[in-house]
Amino acid sequence: MSRSYQGVAVCVPQTVRYQRYSSHGAQYFFGTALRQLLSASGLQKSDVDGMSISSFTLAPDTGISVAEHLGIELRWLDQLILGGASGVVSLKRAARVVQNGDAEVVACMGADTCNPDSYANLMANFSDFSTFGVHAYGAGGPSAVFALATKQYMETHGVTREDFGRLCISQRQNARHNPNALLGDKELTMEAYLGARTVAEPLGLFDCVMPCAGAEAFLVMSEERARSLQLPYARIKAAEEGYNAHKDLDLPINGGWCNFREALYAEADAGPEDIQFLQSYDDYPVMVFRQLEDLGFCEYGGVVEYLEKTDLNVEGAGLAHNTSGGQLSSGQAGFAGGFLGVTEGLRQLTGQVLGCQIADARIGMVSGFGMVNYDRGLCSAAVILEAGESS
Amino acid sequence: MSSSIDVQSCSECGFVQYPPREVCRSCLSSDLEWTTIEGTGELLSWTRLNHSFEAEFQQQLPWDIAQVKLDKVSCIIANLTIENPSVGMKVIIRQKGDCDNPQYFVVANE
Ligand SMILES: [Zn+2]
């Protein structure tokens, strides 16, 4: 049985402007995202018959509440609570739904609001394991767990804070023309990176994403439909997801991409050398390092050497990486952070960037990672996208 | 404080697990009991928290925590009370409180 996504178009990348804090609820961000999708595509609300949504701050409302709130009638509805993997998985599932004919046009949206209390409340009640085994030690929230993972990685591979700093600085450079990046106009120097206040050793302020409010969204439909609407689109060459990988490993650094890397490249009939850009999940720099290893861009423990010879700048000749600046520059708008890589990948492939455009963008990868319920992230996903014909 | 700790074990297959669950992570049996194991293990990693969302911890910052692999069960996050910790060193976890609401402390194994 073929695993191809032939005939499916992914298009209309939309971003609801990020804000540090908002007095609006999550429904505002879903509503605004849908409005932008319709306006940019020329479709009516009645043309959208499928919806896939992701949000932390929507609770106690759910996906069906969003349909009611926005007054939209649907044939297919899905809600994904997969953290930073949600965007890639949403794309993957919506593509199958369109392929099967269960829906014709699917709106995929990740949205969250943010206020000074919402983040702390979320962290205090994230999961049973977290409450029992992490929160009870003052370590609620992801930074403590990723500090443990980062320290362990640094000791194992001889990586320094300067090495992570160079990555953060390259992402900030990519953000400099992106008006949606909350930190885009603030240049990051090595001195500022190393001198920033410590959150949890060895993590400093600029290793941690800034929580904010916002939304990211896109549409999935048939290529035929996209062409008739004259929408530039991307095609899915291959997509994979995996959960609870490495459940028996002792080391806190875990990804899971390695479990499906070969299948992903085989289905795409491509290798890491063919990938022009990588939108990785950058909740913490150490996870970018792990994605570069796990997704086959370099050897395990070889990231520093790889970065010495590979330009990650969006305008460089190497591997354009987190071309809008990523979450480390834009802020993390909750679940929208898990959709940011997908929308930015689509922007590059369809010539609709917010900031810098890669020259002749034809093929790229988006990777997602999420849900630290106890001491490790449990969801990983990746997709290889290529520019569609009408782009 | 005891240097042995209470963890959940499966009456059917003997699997030892942490954090506690409703069923055995290995064979899915719900016949679970508390068993006492030696708290000896290895320091996987540690960190000094300079920030906490918890009011009670905010007054105690900076606060050290560690991740420990015990000989019998993997990856327990615990309070760290070693002055010069290093990754890979031999440690002991001590338990304060009962098995339903334990607090773990990591000390050096000398
Ligand atoms: Zn069992």
Side-chain angles (χ1 to χ4, degrees):
Chain A
M1 196 171 157
S2 169
R3 298 192 65 219
S4 160
Y5 291 90
Q6 198 173 2
V8 176
V10 191
C11 51
V12 199
Q14 293 298 311
T15 300
V16 176
R17 192 72 180 253
Y18 288 11
Q19 305 159 35
R20 179 68 178 95
Y21 294 118
S22 173
S23 54
H24 287 294
Q27 298 278 16
Y28 162 84
F29 292 95
F30 280 114
T32 306
L34 183 63
R35 187 183 167 102
Q36 288 183 207
L37 287 173
L38 298 176
S39 159
S41 64
L43 290 166
Q44 303 298 312
K45 212 201 277 180
S46 55
D47 294 321
V48 176
D49 58 355
M51 193 167 79
S52 167
I53 68 117
S54 294
S55 181
F56 278 123
T57 53
L58 183 62
D61 278 2
T62 62
I64 187 58
S65 325
V66 177
E68 184 180 39
H69 202 106
L70 308 188
I72 186 168
E73 190 179 334
L74 302 165
R75 286 205 292 156
W76 184 81
L77 172 66
D78 199 11
Q79 181 173 12
L80 298 172
I81 308 292
L82 300 172
S86 301
V88 173
V89 176
S90 174
L91 173 157
K92 186 171 179 271
R93 299 207 180 152
R96 289 297 186 221
V97 160
V98 165
Q99 235 177 359
N100 293 336
D102 288 344
E104 286 185 17
V105 177
V106 180
C108 300
M109 303 187 281
D112 264 304
T113 189
C114 185
N115 61 58
D117 294 331
S118 64
Y119 194 73
N121 289 341
L122 174 67
M123 292 309 141
N125 300 296
F126 197 79
S127 71
D128 284 352
F129 285 0
S130 168
T131 302
F132 182 89
V134 185
H135 197 259
Y137 298 91
S143 289
V145 169
F146 281 98
L148 292 167
T150 302
K151 168 105 69 192
Q152 202 274 336
Y153 186 93
M154 290 169 77
E155 298 256 340
T156 304
H157 297 300
V159 171
T160 65
R161 288 209 69 221
E162 283 82 354
D163 296 324
F164 291 127
R166 277 187 282 276
L167 176 81
C168 294
I169 289 166
S170 81
Q171 290 200 193
R172 189 65 67 81
Q173 285 169 346
N174 286 346
R176 70 194 179 282
H177 300 302
N178 176 4
N180 188 58
L182 292 178
L183 300 170
D185 56 359
K186 294 193 176 77
E187 193 194 345
L188 183 61
T189 62
M190 186 61 82
E191 196 185 356
Y193 171 84
L194 294 173
R197 76 177 165 82
T198 304
V199 175
E201 285 180 24
L203 301 179
L205 186 63
F206 296 116
D207 293 302
C208 306
V209 293
M210 184 170 81
C212 66
E216 301 280 347
F218 54 89
L219 293 177
V220 180
M221 62 185 74
S222 69
E223 283 191 81
E224 201 181 348
R225 187 74 174 269
R227 280 197 290 261
S228 76
L229 291 163
Q230 296 186 303
L231 297 171
Y233 64 92
R235 279 195 294 242
I236 304 166
K237 284 180 79 71
E240 296 286 345
E241 61 192 290
Y243 305 99
N244 204 20
H246 307 312
K247 64 183 169 54
D248 297 318
L249 285 188
D250 295 322
L251 299 181
I253 283 268
N254 289 283
W257 300 277
C258 58
N259 289 3
F260 55 69
R261 173 182 63 218
E262 281 179 30
L264 183 76
Y265 286 123
E267 179 67 31
D269 194 21
E273 66 283 358
D274 300 311
I275 304 296
Q276 293 173 292
F277 65 77
L278 170 66
Q279 315 293 349
S280 74
Y281 193 76
D282 59 335
D283 52 351
Y284 295 89
V286 71
M287 290 316 302
V288 175
F289 276 42
R290 177 42 50 101
Q291 281 160 89
L292 289 168
E293 296 169 337
D294 247 11
L295 290 164
F297 291 94
C298 63
E299 298 289 318
Y300 286 94
V303 179
V304 172
E305 195 188 340
Y306 172 80
L307 294 182
E308 274 165 15
K309 59 184 191 203
T310 309
D311 188 353
L312 297 186
N313 194 285
V314 61
E315 284 145 340
L319 177 73
H321 174 252
N322 287 352
T323 49
S324 66
Q327 300 181 81
L328 286 168
S329 305
S330 297
Q332 180 176 64
F335 265 116
F339 281 65
L340 174 66
V342 176
T343 48
E344 176 59 15
L346 294 174
R347 287 180 186 284
Q348 292 293 342
L349 292 170
T350 60
Q352 304 178 74
V353 293
L354 296 171
C356 302
Q357 173 72 52
I358 301 165
D360 187 30
R362 287 167 285 104
I363 178 169
M365 183 186 285
V366 182
S367 169
F369 176 67
M371 300 305 277
V372 180
N373 271 355
Y374 173 51
D375 69 340
R376 61 196 65 197
L378 300 173
C379 313
S380 52
V383 59
I384 298 177
L385 295 167
E386 66 176 349
E389 279 151 23
S390 70
S391 300
Chain B
M1 263 194 294
S2 168
S3 65
S4 53
I5 68 167
D6 300 321
V7 290
Q8 219 177 25
S9 77
C10 176
S11 306
E12 283 191 37
C13 77
F15 192 83
V16 175
Q17 62 189 9
Y18 183 88
R21 290 159 160 87
E22 293 284 340
V23 297
C24 169
R25 203 198 82 174
S26 181
C27 76
L28 307 180
S29 165
S30 58
D31 193 359
L32 301 167
E33 58 190 3
W34 295 103
T35 186
T36 302
I37 63 169
E38 280 300 305
T40 52
E42 177 193 328
L43 192 75
L44 287 175
S45 192
W46 67 277
T47 180
R48 174 162 295 168
L49 303 176
N50 284 281
H51 168 271
S52 178
F53 289 111
E54 326 312 324
E56 54 176 308
F57 282 95
Q58 281 162 6
Q59 288 152 19
Q60 304 177 63
L61 295 172
W63 188 256
D64 292 355
I65 61 164
Q67 188 163 27
V68 174
K69 174 191 161 37
L70 295 191
D71 300 336
K72 292 221 168 132
V73 65
S74 83
C75 295
I76 292 181
I77 290 174
N79 303 301
L80 178 66
T81 60
I82 300 171
E83 209 137 299
N84 293 301
S86 63
V87 170
M89 74 185 290
K90 297 289 171 204
V91 294
I92 300 176
I93 284 193
R94 297 190 188 280
Q95 179 178 326
K96 213 179 187 177
D98 61 13
C99 46
D100 291 324
N101 199 12
Q103 272 279 320
Y104 294 127
F105 293 82
V106 183
V107 299
N109 185 2
E110 286 153 338

